[in-house]
Amino acid sequence: MNDQAQAGQRPQLDRDRLEAFIKQIGTQVAAGFNCSLSHLGDRLGLYRALAEAGPMNSDELAAHTGLHERWLREWLRHQACVQQVEYTDGRFSLSPEAAAVLAEEGHPFFFASGFGAVAATYPSLPKMPAVFETGIGLTYDDHGAACACGVERMSSFVQKHELVPKILPQVEGMVERLKAGARVADVGCGAGTATVAMAEAFPNSTFVGYDTSKHALARANANCAASRATNLRVANPDEEPMGKGEFDLVATFDVVHDTPYPDRLITAVFEALKPDGAWLCADINSFPTFEQNLAEHPNAAMLYGFSVLVCMSASLSTPDGAGLGTLGFNEQVAREMTAAAGFQHFTVLEYGNAINSYYDIRP
């Protein structure tokens, strides 16, 4: 303890550092408001309207959308101030880059869904003080159906458009087996987006999506029913565990770090695979240490935030949960835990992105 603290005096403040820090905090507060207002813009289709018909002023946007002009005017002004919407000569518009990220849901860089994922955690905030006191987190279902829908939108592009043509061909020999007829388990299937994509691409194979979340299972059942595929179904593994040596391929997409018992999950995958089967595992790309994530990971702040409110919370939703956290199942941990379960082969696939690493793991 320094002399000033012992004497009960406040430490002397550096005025420049103080002003810089309050500016930083103001930026973070503004970002909090922006998540809410950007989610609203996404939900109301305002970004799509600007992309399709802009540049527009608030009167023109009101006429285009049927919404109230005064509210649109304030929203547009806010969006211009955070530089998501451009303002020139009295009209507002989206740049081509902003349109790709905020308005074009089929674009690989679409990320307006991230605002919805943040907003889905708001109802859980009153419960979080008790979480910090007891150590027991919230399950995905504790967040309500909006969280499941938010996660579905965030991950849908890769699962719908990249999984079959770009990722599965990197799992050696698997495409041929799927074409001929294989048994596949999508563990932690969420909304079933990946399950549906694979089932539609490989009609000779059979697919089972497993999840314990009632909200995820409801979305998965709806997506399966809307699909043209008939070779798939979903199940709750608590009611219908995976059989031993049953599957040619098991897939997990951002699942291991979420589960309270990752060692049990990995063992269950090992036991469910045929001796020549493969586990396609996607998880968050991160470094082995916090110091590396702090210094080098461009998305560390976002991912640690999501961890506290969603991922680590789910992993600690039981008293003895592992609590890996969003960045906790990095390649080093994955190699160690899979080897402990009996897996002998671990290959990092060439396909990867800013969020995920992909592994081909085999007995």
Side-chain angles (χ1 to χ4, degrees):
M1 186 178 294
N2 60 40
D3 292 339
Q4 286 181 319
Q6 288 178 332
Q9 299 175 358
R10 290 183 178 178
Q12 186 174 356
L13 300 178
D14 182 303
R15 182 73 182 194
D16 290 339
R17 293 185 64 187
L18 177 63
E19 290 181 354
F21 188 73
I22 193 65
K23 182 179 180 181
Q24 174 187 332
I25 295 303
T27 300
Q28 296 304 315
V29 172
F33 282 119
N34 186 46
C35 278
S36 298
L37 293 174
S38 296
H39 171 53
L40 188 61
D42 175 47
R43 183 174 177 180
L44 292 173
L46 300 182
Y47 297 120
R48 290 192 301 275
L50 286 169
E52 293 167 358
M56 290 185 283
N57 59 32
S58 57
D59 289 309
E60 292 163 338
L61 184 58
H64 185 81
T65 61
L67 300 173
H68 196 284
E69 181 277 332
R70 182 64 186 93
W71 290 92
L72 291 174
R73 190 194 327 162
E74 206 76 355
W75 182 86
L76 286 165
R77 289 173 173 176
H78 168 268
Q79 291 288 289
C81 287
V82 297
Q83 299 181 359
Q84 290 177 189
V85 168
E86 297 186 350
Y87 178 73
T88 306
D89 297 329
R91 281 181 165 76
F92 301 86
S93 62
L94 287 182
S95 69
E97 294 77 18
V101 175
L102 298 173
E104 300 173 23
E105 193 152 352
H107 197 281
F109 287 97
F110 176 78
F111 201 48
S113 52
F115 297 122
V118 173
T121 68
Y122 292 162
S124 301
L125 288 178
K127 305 174 186 176
M128 292 305 294
V131 166
F132 274 72
E133 291 167 2
T134 66
I136 308 300
L138 307 175
T139 68
Y140 269 86
D141 280 351
D142 288 334
H143 294 287
C147 187
C149 291
V151 171
E152 177 184 358
R153 289 188 75 206
M154 288 180 69
S155 62
S156 64
F157 180 84
V158 170
Q159 295 181 5
K160 287 181 178 179
H161 304 292
E162 305 268 84
L163 174 59
V164 171
K166 295 185 178 181
I167 301 174
L168 285 174
Q170 292 190 22
V171 182
E172 186 176 356
M174 190 53 61
V175 169
E176 291 75 15
R177 292 173 72 169
L178 291 168
K179 288 179 178 178
R183 289 187 54 78
V184 180
D186 182 4
V187 176
C189 68
T193 309
T195 320
V196 170
M198 292 188 289
E200 290 181 345
F202 303 105
N204 292 331
S205 294
T206 57
F207 299 82
V208 184
Y210 291 97
D211 212 293
T212 57
S213 163
K214 66 179 182 181
H215 295 304
L217 288 171
R219 286 292 306 150
N221 273 311
N223 286 333
C224 289
S227 168
R228 64 177 182 271
T230 58
N231 55 334
L232 76 169
R233 62 187 182 87
V234 296
N236 186 329
D238 291 337
E239 302 169 358
E240 182 188 327
M242 291 187 292
K244 308 288 186 182
E246 182 178 354
F247 295 102
D248 299 271
L249 174 67
V250 173
T252 60
F253 300 102
D254 292 334
V255 173
V256 180
H257 70 263
D258 283 330
T259 182
Y261 309 110
D263 52 346
R264 298 183 195 175
L265 172 63
I266 294 169
T267 297
V269 172
F270 179 82
E271 293 177 347
L273 282 172
K274 295 177 180 179
D276 61 347
W279 174 17
L280 171 59
C281 175
D283 219 284
I284 301 300
N285 178 19
S286 63
F287 294 99
T289 68
F290 167 67
E291 288 76 13
Q292 287 175 288
N293 286 322
L294 176 65
E296 302 177 50
H297 201 308
N299 298 307
M302 177 182 69
L303 294 171
Y304 278 120
F306 205 72
S307 186
V308 171
L309 292 171
V310 181
C311 300
M312 189 187 77
S313 189
S315 187
L316 289 173
S317 59
T318 59
D320 54 349
L324 284 180
T326 305
L327 292 93
F329 195 64
N330 56 69
E331 181 184 337
Q332 178 178 313
V333 173
R335 287 182 180 275
E336 293 170 356
M337 294 188 71
T338 55
F343 285 97
Q344 300 294 314
H345 306 282
F346 190 107
T347 303
V348 180
L349 301 185
E350 291 182 6
Y351 182 93
N353 53 43
I355 299 297
N356 284 116
S357 295
Y358 290 79
Y359 311 123
D360 177 356
I361 308 170
R362 307 197 182 209

